[in-house]
Amino acid sequence: MKSFVTGLIVVGSLVAGNVFAADMPPEGKAKCGGCHTIANKMVGPAWKDVAAKYAGKADAQKTLVANITKGGSFGWKMGVMPAKGIGATDAEIQSLAKFIVGLK
């Protein structure tokens, strides 16, 4: 029984570790977290869905940077994102685009 409980704790820790491994960066929470999450759509699409949309495209990060910078709906039919979200800097946009493209 003791080894069974220990096994459950280990498996639970591994699963929890995978869930928390892709936590939204602080600038993402501050600038984008009101409309986006990593895994669930809210006002805007989930970032994992955005990553899936651009998966395998060589210019994915560049396209995301351009889209975030200019704002728009990008075919999601969920509303219109303002240019630069809520005041993201160019450096933050570059960093967040790289993070989003890297999500699985």
Side-chain angles (χ1 to χ4, degrees):
M1 178 69 172
K2 187 176 182 180
S3 62
F4 176 74
V5 172
T6 302
L8 284 177
I9 291 170
V10 169
V11 169
S13 297
L14 291 173
V15 171
N18 287 336
V19 170
F20 297 121
D23 194 21
M24 189 180 287
E27 65 272 18
K29 288 179 185 175
K31 307 291 181 169
C32 312
C35 296
H36 297 277
T37 69
I38 291 176
N40 302 306
K41 65 181 176 177
M42 289 178 36
V43 175
W47 283 358
K48 284 189 175 184
D49 294 339
V50 174
K53 179 178 180 177
Y54 294 101
K57 296 182 180 171
D59 63 344
Q61 185 174 332
K62 182 179 175 183
T63 300
L64 278 178
V65 167
N67 288 349
I68 295 167
T69 301
K70 71 179 178 185
S73 62
F74 318 110
W76 291 100
K77 299 179 183 176
M78 299 181 76
V80 178
M81 184 179 80
K84 296 192 174 192
I86 301 179
T89 66
D90 291 339
E92 289 170 332
I93 292 170
Q94 287 284 346
S95 175
L96 292 168
K98 182 177 180 178
F99 175 80
I100 293 167
V101 169
L103 292 171
K104 300 291 178 221

